[in-house]
Amino acid sequence: MKHMIQIAGLPDLPRAAKEFLQAIGKHTLVAFYAPMGAGKTTFATALCKELGVQEDAISSPTFAIVNEYRGYEGRPIYHFDFYRIENPAEALDIGLYDYLDSGELCLMEWPENIESLLPEETLEVHIAVQPDGSRLLTWETA
């Protein structure tokens, strides 16, 4: 089944984040595919806020590779940025599978840099910038 969510602009992010979280159900491994500047970190931030993470606690994990946040229920949310990963072995060095096998929500930016390591059940979400500046999220589920 193909899913789509249109995001008109920044004020529309809370609605889109809520709709997305409801739509993905029990999927915990979410990989965001998009070009630079398409809004991967911005959308991941909106998802974390929707899950109860304080906005000032959320930052891009570009240099750390992974950030851990706590949502409403105190459960961890892992936010990855694999942009600087040059070799999939580098992701293994940070204990990637410990995170992915945790059963907790893992939000991944630049997953193409570690694609060979991602489990089959990883949800591939594509973010496309539309001509009017809006964003279109698309993904498929079985």
Side-chain angles (χ1 to χ4, degrees):
M1 172 184 241
K2 187 162 182 150
H3 301 269
M4 293 188 304
I5 295 176
Q6 185 84 23
I7 305 172
L10 291 175
D12 197 28
L13 277 170
R15 179 216 43 93
K18 184 175 186 171
E19 184 177 332
F20 180 80
L21 289 168
Q22 290 173 347
I24 66 169
K26 296 190 183 287
H27 286 277
T28 58
L29 306 179
V30 182
F32 293 103
Y33 292 82
M36 182 77 73
K40 295 178 293 293
T41 300
T42 301
F43 191 63
T45 298
L47 293 173
C48 289
K49 285 172 55 179
E50 183 65 29
L51 292 168
V53 178
Q54 296 297 316
E55 184 172 6
D56 61 352
I58 306 168
S59 63
S60 175
T62 301
F63 294 100
I65 301 175
V66 62
N67 287 341
E68 179 179 336
Y69 313 120
R70 298 285 170 170
Y72 285 124
E73 299 172 2
R75 295 181 66 173
I77 300 164
Y78 302 112
H79 181 195
F80 298 87
D81 185 332
F82 297 114
Y83 181 75
R84 296 188 176 279
I85 296 288
E86 295 179 8
N87 181 319
E90 294 175 53
L92 295 175
D93 290 344
I94 66 161
L96 176 67
Y97 287 122
D98 292 335
Y99 294 107
L100 299 182
D101 294 340
S102 70
E104 304 299 342
L105 183 61
C106 295
L107 305 172
M108 297 173 271
E109 299 181 39
W110 300 102
E112 49 271 73
N113 291 348
I114 61 147
E115 206 158 43
S116 63
L117 302 176
L118 294 177
E120 186 177 309
E121 67 270 15
T122 301
L123 191 64
E124 294 184 16
V125 179
H126 297 268
I127 303 174
V129 179
Q130 303 301 292
D132 65 358
S134 66
R135 303 308 197 254
L136 182 64
L137 275 65
T138 57
W139 70 97
E140 291 189 36
T141 55

